[in-house]
Amino acid sequence: MDDLINPAPKLYSRKTTVRDKIQPASLDAGDREPIDALEVFEHIRDITDPEHPYSLEQLNVVSEELITVNDQSGRVRLNFTPTVAHCSMATLIGLSLRVKLMRSLPPRFKVDIYITPGAHSTEAAINKQLNDKERVAAALENPNLLEMVNKSLTSCHQ
Amino acid sequence: MARLEQIQELPGHGDRAWSVAWSPTGTTLASCSGDKTVRICFDATTSVWEIQGGVWEQVAVLEGHENEVKAVAWSPLGTHVATCGRDKTVWIWEAEPGHEFECLDVKHGHSQDVKMLAWHPGGQVLVSCSYDDSIKMWVDDGDEWTCQQTLSGGGGGHDSTVWGLAFSGDGWRMVSCSDDLTLRIWSCPVGSGSPRWRLLTTIAGYHERTIFSVDWSRAGSIVTGSGDNSIRIFDEAIVPEGASSEASNSDPASPSSSFRMVVNHADAHSSDVNCVRWHPLDPTLLASASDDGSVKLWRYHP
C-alpha cells in the first residue's frame, strides 16, 4: 500500500445538529426558507476523504462554524482545514467541496472556498486555484480528476 | 444621469458564454461558449473561419498548444494572429496567402496560464496577461519576438490574476483588470528611447468580485464585467486647467488623471459577466457575455 500522507488521523464523532433558529410562524407556505450555514454543512459533511474511509466531518476538515451564508445576496464562504499542513490532497478536497455545492445549491449562489488560515503550507496557491473558475472548469474536463471527485462525493455513510 | 439600457438578449448557448467579439465594422458579433458551439475556447486548436457565399467555413486550424487556448487576437492590419493558453505560452502566427499560417515564435515568458491577449492599435506591440499576476509587452526585434517590458510586482503591478486588458483609442494608454478587484490605467509617455509603460492610476473600491473583462470605447469610456454580475462604466473626470497645476503630481509626462464611475448596473446578468465589448464604431453600443448562457446588447446613455 502507498504511504499515507496522514497515517493516523484524529477522528471526531458525527455531531447531532439542531436548527436553533425557530422559523417564524407567519411564514407563508409559498415562501422559500432561506438557505443557512447548517444547510450548506449538511451538503458537505458526508463527503469522503480522498485518503481515508471517513467523512470530512469525522476528520474535522469541515465544520458548521467555518461556513457563512448570506442568502439575500447569494454568497457562501467556507473554510476547510486539511488534517496536516503539507496535505497534497488539499486541492482535491477543495475541488470536491466546490463541485458538491455547485450541484446542490441554486445557481444564484456564489461560493468562495478557502483553506482555514494557517492550516496549509501552500495556502495562497491553493486558494487561488480553487477560486479561478477557468482552472476549476479545466480540472473537471480531466476524466481522472472528475472520477476522483465523484468518488469522494459518494457518501461513506451510505 | 448616465445609464445602461438592455436592448436585446441573445440566448442560444446551452452553457456559460465565455466571450464575445465584434467584427471590425461591427456588423457581426461572434460568441463562444462552454457548449463548444464555436470551438475556440476549450480545445488545443484555433480555428480560422471565413465567410464564403454567406456561410462561415473553417479555412484553417492552428495546432500547437498543449491544451486549451484561452484567447486569440488578430493584429490590427490582419497580418498576424496571436494565441495564448493554459500551457503558459504565447504563440505568434503570420497569416500568409492561401489560408496558410506560419508560426513565427512561441514565447514561454509567463510562469502560469496566459488569460488574454491584445494588440496595440499600432500593431507593433502584443500584450499578454496571466494567472502569474503579470502583464508582458512583446515586440518583434527582427529575429524573434522579445519581452520588452513586464508590468508586475512592486512597480504598481496587480496583486492577483490579470484577466483582461484594453487600449485607449489613441494607443497611449492601457487599462487592465484583475482578480485583485482593481482596474489599473497605464500610460506610455512620448519621449526618446524605447517606450516604457508605467502606472498612471489605480481604480479600486467599486468591484465586489473578480473583474473578468474590460474594454475602452472610442469615446473614452471604460466598461467592466465582473463576477458580481454587474456591468460598470467609468469616465475620465475633466480636470480644470488651474486645478492640475496644484495637484501634487507635477510630472508633465503623466498628467493628473481621475476616473469616476458613471454607471453601476447591478444584476446585468444573473451570473458572472465574463466579457464586455464596445461596438467598434458606435461608442454607445455594448455587448456582454455571461455564465448565465446569454449574450446581451446594451445601449449606453451617457
mmCIF file of all heavy atoms in Angstrom, chain B residues 193-225:
data_model
loop_
_atom_site.group_PDB
_atom_site.id
_atom_site.type_symbol
_atom_site.label_atom_id
_atom_site.label_comp_id
_atom_site.label_asym_id
_atom_site.label_seq_id
_atom_site.Cartn_x
_atom_site.Cartn_y
_atom_site.Cartn_z
ATOM 1 N N GLY B 193 13.989 57.170 -26.863
ATOM 2 C CA GLY B 193 14.260 55.795 -26.463
ATOM 3 C C GLY B 193 13.039 54.912 -26.637
ATOM 4 O O GLY B 193 12.023 55.321 -27.192
ATOM 5 N N SER B 194 13.145 53.665 -26.162
ATOM 6 C CA SER B 194 12.034 52.736 -26.330
ATOM 7 C C SER B 194 10.940 53.098 -25.329
ATOM 8 O O SER B 194 11.207 53.520 -24.216
ATOM 9 C CB SER B 194 12.515 51.304 -26.115
ATOM 10 O OG SER B 194 12.904 51.130 -24.772
ATOM 11 N N PRO B 195 9.706 52.973 -25.760
ATOM 12 C CA PRO B 195 8.597 53.372 -24.897
ATOM 13 C C PRO B 195 8.513 52.507 -23.637
ATOM 14 O O PRO B 195 8.733 51.298 -23.703
ATOM 15 C CB PRO B 195 7.371 53.169 -25.794
ATOM 16 C CG PRO B 195 7.807 52.241 -26.869
ATOM 17 C CD PRO B 195 9.267 52.428 -27.040
ATOM 18 N N ARG B 196 8.276 53.132 -22.519
ATOM 19 C CA ARG B 196 8.109 52.411 -21.267
ATOM 20 C C ARG B 196 6.724 52.710 -20.705
ATOM 21 O O ARG B 196 6.340 53.870 -20.583
ATOM 22 C CB ARG B 196 9.178 52.842 -20.237
ATOM 23 C CG ARG B 196 10.594 52.665 -20.699
ATOM 24 C CD ARG B 196 10.970 51.223 -20.902
ATOM 25 N NE ARG B 196 11.085 50.487 -19.628
ATOM 26 C CZ ARG B 196 11.359 49.182 -19.572
ATOM 27 N NH1 ARG B 196 11.499 48.478 -20.679
ATOM 28 N NH2 ARG B 196 11.472 48.589 -18.413
ATOM 29 N N TRP B 197 6.004 51.650 -20.354
ATOM 30 C CA TRP B 197 4.679 51.834 -19.765
ATOM 31 C C TRP B 197 4.820 51.972 -18.266
ATOM 32 O O TRP B 197 5.652 51.326 -17.641
ATOM 33 C CB TRP B 197 3.791 50.635 -20.102
ATOM 34 C CG TRP B 197 3.443 50.598 -21.552
ATOM 35 C CD1 TRP B 197 4.194 50.099 -22.562
ATOM 36 C CD2 TRP B 197 2.263 51.111 -22.154
ATOM 37 N NE1 TRP B 197 3.554 50.266 -23.769
ATOM 38 C CE2 TRP B 197 2.357 50.887 -23.543
ATOM 39 C CE3 TRP B 197 1.111 51.752 -21.670
ATOM 40 C CZ2 TRP B 197 1.354 51.267 -24.437
ATOM 41 C CZ3 TRP B 197 0.117 52.114 -22.557
ATOM 42 C CH2 TRP B 197 0.251 51.880 -23.938
ATOM 43 N N ARG B 198 4.006 52.854 -17.704
ATOM 44 C CA ARG B 198 4.001 52.926 -16.248
ATOM 45 C C ARG B 198 2.612 53.229 -15.714
ATOM 46 O O ARG B 198 1.745 53.709 -16.437
ATOM 47 C CB ARG B 198 5.003 53.948 -15.760
ATOM 48 C CG ARG B 198 4.728 55.333 -16.260
ATOM 49 C CD ARG B 198 5.867 56.195 -15.780
ATOM 50 N NE ARG B 198 5.614 57.581 -16.007
ATOM 51 C CZ ARG B 198 6.571 58.481 -15.901
ATOM 52 N NH1 ARG B 198 7.797 58.118 -15.603
ATOM 53 N NH2 ARG B 198 6.296 59.746 -16.103
ATOM 54 N N LEU B 199 2.442 52.875 -14.422
ATOM 55 C CA LEU B 199 1.132 53.000 -13.802
ATOM 56 C C LEU B 199 0.739 54.461 -13.686
ATOM 57 O O LEU B 199 1.480 55.277 -13.145
ATOM 58 C CB LEU B 199 1.151 52.352 -12.410
ATOM 59 C CG LEU B 199 -0.183 52.330 -11.674
ATOM 60 C CD1 LEU B 199 -1.168 51.403 -12.382
ATOM 61 C CD2 LEU B 199 0.023 51.887 -10.236
ATOM 62 N N LEU B 200 -0.442 54.788 -14.212
ATOM 63 C CA LEU B 200 -0.945 56.149 -14.118
ATOM 64 C C LEU B 200 -1.860 56.270 -12.900
ATOM 65 O O LEU B 200 -1.717 57.158 -12.077
ATOM 66 C CB LEU B 200 -1.706 56.488 -15.405
ATOM 67 C CG LEU B 200 -2.248 57.899 -15.558
ATOM 68 C CD1 LEU B 200 -1.123 58.909 -15.537
ATOM 69 C CD2 LEU B 200 -3.019 58.003 -16.874
ATOM 70 N N THR B 201 -2.812 55.342 -12.785
ATOM 71 C CA THR B 201 -3.722 55.390 -11.642
ATOM 72 C C THR B 201 -4.358 54.017 -11.423
ATOM 73 O O THR B 201 -4.416 53.192 -12.329
ATOM 74 C CB THR B 201 -4.807 56.471 -11.855
ATOM 75 O OG1 THR B 201 -5.589 56.589 -10.668
ATOM 76 C CG2 THR B 201 -5.730 56.147 -13.012
ATOM 77 N N THR B 202 -4.812 53.789 -10.200
ATOM 78 C CA THR B 202 -5.500 52.539 -9.847
ATOM 79 C C THR B 202 -6.933 52.881 -9.468
ATOM 80 O O THR B 202 -7.168 53.803 -8.695
ATOM 81 C CB THR B 202 -4.795 51.858 -8.661
ATOM 82 O OG1 THR B 202 -3.460 51.553 -9.040
ATOM 83 C CG2 THR B 202 -5.496 50.569 -8.271
ATOM 84 N N ILE B 203 -7.880 52.138 -10.039
ATOM 85 C CA ILE B 203 -9.289 52.347 -9.709
ATOM 86 C C ILE B 203 -9.717 51.190 -8.815
ATOM 87 O O ILE B 203 -9.821 50.050 -9.273
ATOM 88 C CB ILE B 203 -10.158 52.409 -10.988
ATOM 89 C CG1 ILE B 203 -9.654 53.523 -11.918
ATOM 90 C CG2 ILE B 203 -11.620 52.608 -10.640
ATOM 91 C CD1 ILE B 203 -10.357 53.567 -13.271
ATOM 92 N N ALA B 204 -9.933 51.471 -7.538
ATOM 93 C CA ALA B 204 -10.261 50.414 -6.574
ATOM 94 C C ALA B 204 -11.507 50.792 -5.800
ATOM 95 O O ALA B 204 -11.907 51.961 -5.751
ATOM 96 C CB ALA B 204 -9.090 50.214 -5.622
ATOM 97 N N GLY B 205 -12.131 49.792 -5.190
ATOM 98 C CA GLY B 205 -13.243 50.056 -4.289
ATOM 99 C C GLY B 205 -14.619 49.986 -4.926
ATOM 100 O O GLY B 205 -15.619 50.287 -4.271
ATOM 101 N N TYR B 206 -14.714 49.586 -6.182
ATOM 102 C CA TYR B 206 -16.016 49.536 -6.848
ATOM 103 C C TYR B 206 -16.520 48.101 -7.037
ATOM 104 O O TYR B 206 -17.713 47.859 -7.029
ATOM 105 C CB TYR B 206 -15.947 50.211 -8.218
ATOM 106 C CG TYR B 206 -15.680 51.692 -8.146
ATOM 107 C CD1 TYR B 206 -14.410 52.209 -8.391
ATOM 108 C CD2 TYR B 206 -16.707 52.577 -7.827
ATOM 109 C CE1 TYR B 206 -14.169 53.575 -8.327
ATOM 110 C CE2 TYR B 206 -16.478 53.938 -7.758
ATOM 111 C CZ TYR B 206 -15.200 54.431 -8.007
ATOM 112 O OH TYR B 206 -14.968 55.777 -7.942
ATOM 113 N N HIS B 207 -15.596 47.175 -7.258
ATOM 114 C CA HIS B 207 -15.997 45.816 -7.600
ATOM 115 C C HIS B 207 -15.942 44.906 -6.374
ATOM 116 O O HIS B 207 -15.007 44.973 -5.590
ATOM 117 C CB HIS B 207 -15.090 45.257 -8.703
ATOM 118 C CG HIS B 207 -15.173 46.029 -9.986
ATOM 119 N ND1 HIS B 207 -14.453 47.187 -10.196
ATOM 120 C CD2 HIS B 207 -15.895 45.823 -11.105
ATOM 121 C CE1 HIS B 207 -14.738 47.655 -11.400
ATOM 122 N NE2 HIS B 207 -15.610 46.845 -11.978
ATOM 123 N N GLU B 208 -16.983 44.049 -6.244
ATOM 124 C CA GLU B 208 -17.043 43.149 -5.093
ATOM 125 C C GLU B 208 -16.383 41.810 -5.381
ATOM 126 O O GLU B 208 -16.009 41.083 -4.468
ATOM 127 C CB GLU B 208 -18.504 42.896 -4.703
ATOM 128 C CG GLU B 208 -19.205 44.122 -4.156
ATOM 129 C CD GLU B 208 -20.720 43.959 -4.211
ATOM 130 O OE1 GLU B 208 -21.196 42.833 -3.950
ATOM 131 O OE2 GLU B 208 -21.408 44.943 -4.526
ATOM 132 N N ARG B 209 -16.326 41.439 -6.655
ATOM 133 C CA ARG B 209 -15.706 40.170 -7.021
ATOM 134 C C ARG B 209 -14.803 40.384 -8.236
ATOM 135 O O ARG B 209 -14.769 41.473 -8.798
ATOM 136 C CB ARG B 209 -16.773 39.103 -7.308
ATOM 137 C CG ARG B 209 -17.662 38.805 -6.084
ATOM 138 C CD ARG B 209 -18.711 37.769 -6.395
ATOM 139 N NE ARG B 209 -18.148 36.448 -6.602
ATOM 140 C CZ ARG B 209 -17.775 35.615 -5.628
ATOM 141 N NH1 ARG B 209 -17.912 35.982 -4.370
ATOM 142 N NH2 ARG B 209 -17.284 34.432 -5.891
ATOM 143 N N THR B 210 -14.096 39.324 -8.620
ATOM 144 C CA THR B 210 -13.153 39.372 -9.743
ATOM 145 C C THR B 210 -13.678 40.181 -10.933
ATOM 146 O O THR B 210 -14.820 40.025 -11.339
ATOM 147 C CB THR B 210 -12.865 37.935 -10.228
ATOM 148 O OG1 THR B 210 -12.458 37.166 -9.110
ATOM 149 C CG2 THR B 210 -11.781 37.922 -11.284
ATOM 150 N N ILE B 211 -12.819 41.031 -11.498
ATOM 151 C CA ILE B 211 -13.160 41.742 -12.735
ATOM 152 C C ILE B 211 -12.612 40.890 -13.883
ATOM 153 O O ILE B 211 -11.403 40.724 -14.012
ATOM 154 C CB ILE B 211 -12.546 43.154 -12.773
ATOM 155 C CG1 ILE B 211 -12.768 43.868 -11.437
ATOM 156 C CG2 ILE B 211 -13.140 43.967 -13.922
ATOM 157 C CD1 ILE B 211 -11.952 45.145 -11.281
ATOM 158 N N PHE B 212 -13.523 40.338 -14.683
ATOM 159 C CA PHE B 212 -13.100 39.403 -15.727
ATOM 160 C C PHE B 212 -12.773 40.087 -17.046
ATOM 161 O O PHE B 212 -12.013 39.562 -17.848
ATOM 162 C CB PHE B 212 -14.191 38.354 -15.980
ATOM 163 C CG PHE B 212 -14.340 37.353 -14.872
ATOM 164 C CD1 PHE B 212 -15.505 37.278 -14.129
ATOM 165 C CD2 PHE B 212 -13.301 36.480 -14.565
ATOM 166 C CE1 PHE B 212 -15.632 36.353 -13.099
ATOM 167 C CE2 PHE B 212 -13.423 35.556 -13.538
ATOM 168 C CZ PHE B 212 -14.585 35.490 -12.804
ATOM 169 N N SER B 213 -13.382 41.247 -17.290
ATOM 170 C CA SER B 213 -13.225 41.831 -18.623
ATOM 171 C C SER B 213 -13.291 43.352 -18.561
ATOM 172 O O SER B 213 -13.979 43.920 -17.710
ATOM 173 C CB SER B 213 -14.348 41.285 -19.516
ATOM 174 O OG SER B 213 -14.231 41.773 -20.836
ATOM 175 N N VAL B 214 -12.551 43.971 -19.457
ATOM 176 C CA VAL B 214 -12.550 45.432 -19.525
ATOM 177 C C VAL B 214 -12.417 45.854 -20.989
ATOM 178 O O VAL B 214 -11.783 45.157 -21.786
ATOM 179 C CB VAL B 214 -11.399 46.016 -18.652
ATOM 180 C CG1 VAL B 214 -10.028 45.608 -19.192
ATOM 181 C CG2 VAL B 214 -11.491 47.521 -18.529
ATOM 182 N N ASP B 215 -13.055 46.970 -21.342
ATOM 183 C CA ASP B 215 -12.892 47.484 -22.699
ATOM 184 C C ASP B 215 -12.964 49.013 -22.657
ATOM 185 O O ASP B 215 -13.580 49.598 -21.766
ATOM 186 C CB ASP B 215 -13.979 46.915 -23.625
ATOM 187 C CG ASP B 215 -13.595 47.040 -25.100
ATOM 188 O OD1 ASP B 215 -12.397 47.272 -25.391
ATOM 189 O OD2 ASP B 215 -14.482 46.913 -25.967
ATOM 190 N N TRP B 216 -12.300 49.636 -23.610
ATOM 191 C CA TRP B 216 -12.182 51.089 -23.654
ATOM 192 C C TRP B 216 -12.837 51.558 -24.953
ATOM 193 O O TRP B 216 -12.424 51.117 -26.034
ATOM 194 C CB TRP B 216 -10.695 51.478 -23.623
ATOM 195 C CG TRP B 216 -10.415 52.806 -23.030
ATOM 196 C CD1 TRP B 216 -11.177 53.927 -23.133
ATOM 197 C CD2 TRP B 216 -9.271 53.162 -22.222
ATOM 198 N NE1 TRP B 216 -10.588 54.956 -22.431
ATOM 199 C CE2 TRP B 216 -9.421 54.523 -21.871
ATOM 200 C CE3 TRP B 216 -8.144 52.476 -21.770
ATOM 201 C CZ2 TRP B 216 -8.491 55.205 -21.089
ATOM 202 C CZ3 TRP B 216 -7.222 53.160 -20.996
ATOM 203 C CH2 TRP B 216 -7.387 54.510 -20.657
ATOM 204 N N SER B 217 -13.842 52.423 -24.873
ATOM 205 C CA SER B 217 -14.554 52.829 -26.089
ATOM 206 C C SER B 217 -13.813 53.954 -26.801
ATOM 207 O O SER B 217 -12.959 54.623 -26.226
ATOM 208 C CB SER B 217 -15.980 53.277 -25.763
ATOM 209 O OG SER B 217 -15.979 54.614 -25.292
ATOM 210 N N ARG B 218 -14.189 54.180 -28.051
ATOM 211 C CA ARG B 218 -13.616 55.286 -28.833
ATOM 212 C C ARG B 218 -13.927 56.619 -28.180
ATOM 213 O O ARG B 218 -13.194 57.593 -28.355
ATOM 214 C CB ARG B 218 -14.235 55.295 -30.232
ATOM 215 C CG ARG B 218 -13.848 54.120 -31.061
ATOM 216 C CD ARG B 218 -14.494 54.227 -32.424
ATOM 217 N NE ARG B 218 -13.562 53.755 -33.440
ATOM 218 C CZ ARG B 218 -13.422 54.313 -34.630
ATOM 219 N NH1 ARG B 218 -14.140 55.366 -34.965
ATOM 220 N NH2 ARG B 218 -12.560 53.827 -35.493
ATOM 221 N N ALA B 219 -15.052 56.677 -27.446
ATOM 222 C CA ALA B 219 -15.436 57.927 -26.798
ATOM 223 C C ALA B 219 -14.750 58.089 -25.447
ATOM 224 O O ALA B 219 -14.986 59.078 -24.755
ATOM 225 C CB ALA B 219 -16.953 57.984 -26.638
ATOM 226 N N GLY B 220 -13.921 57.110 -25.046
ATOM 227 C CA GLY B 220 -13.156 57.243 -23.818
ATOM 228 C C GLY B 220 -13.772 56.601 -22.586
ATOM 229 O O GLY B 220 -13.263 56.768 -21.484
ATOM 230 N N SER B 221 -14.872 55.849 -22.758
ATOM 231 C CA SER B 221 -15.499 55.201 -21.601
ATOM 232 C C SER B 221 -14.914 53.815 -21.390
ATOM 233 O O SER B 221 -14.751 53.051 -22.340
ATOM 234 C CB SER B 221 -17.010 55.076 -21.806
ATOM 235 O OG SER B 221 -17.588 56.342 -21.963
ATOM 236 N N ILE B 222 -14.641 53.502 -20.115
ATOM 237 C CA ILE B 222 -14.134 52.179 -19.757
ATOM 238 C C ILE B 222 -15.290 51.375 -19.189
ATOM 239 O O ILE B 222 -16.001 51.840 -18.294
ATOM 240 C CB ILE B 222 -12.996 52.297 -18.720
ATOM 241 C CG1 ILE B 222 -11.767 52.935 -19.366
ATOM 242 C CG2 ILE B 222 -12.653 50.934 -18.136
ATOM 243 C CD1 ILE B 222 -10.648 53.241 -18.389
ATOM 244 N N VAL B 223 -15.503 50.159 -19.725
ATOM 245 C CA VAL B 223 -16.575 49.304 -19.217
ATOM 246 C C VAL B 223 -15.945 48.062 -18.595
ATOM 247 O O VAL B 223 -14.910 47.586 -19.055
ATOM 248 C CB VAL B 223 -17.574 48.932 -20.341
ATOM 249 C CG1 VAL B 223 -16.910 48.130 -21.453
ATOM 250 C CG2 VAL B 223 -18.765 48.162 -19.777
ATOM 251 N N THR B 224 -16.564 47.565 -17.497
ATOM 252 C CA THR B 224 -16.061 46.342 -16.871
ATOM 253 C C THR B 224 -17.181 45.334 -16.705
ATOM 254 O O THR B 224 -18.337 45.693 -16.508
ATOM 255 C CB THR B 224 -15.472 46.617 -15.472
ATOM 256 O OG1 THR B 224 -16.497 47.117 -14.607
ATOM 257 C CG2 THR B 224 -14.317 47.591 -15.532
ATOM 258 N N GLY B 225 -16.800 44.050 -16.767
ATOM 259 C CA GLY B 225 -17.699 42.936 -16.471
ATOM 260 C C GLY B 225 -17.114 42.172 -15.308
ATOM 261 O O GLY B 225 -15.917 41.891 -15.298
#
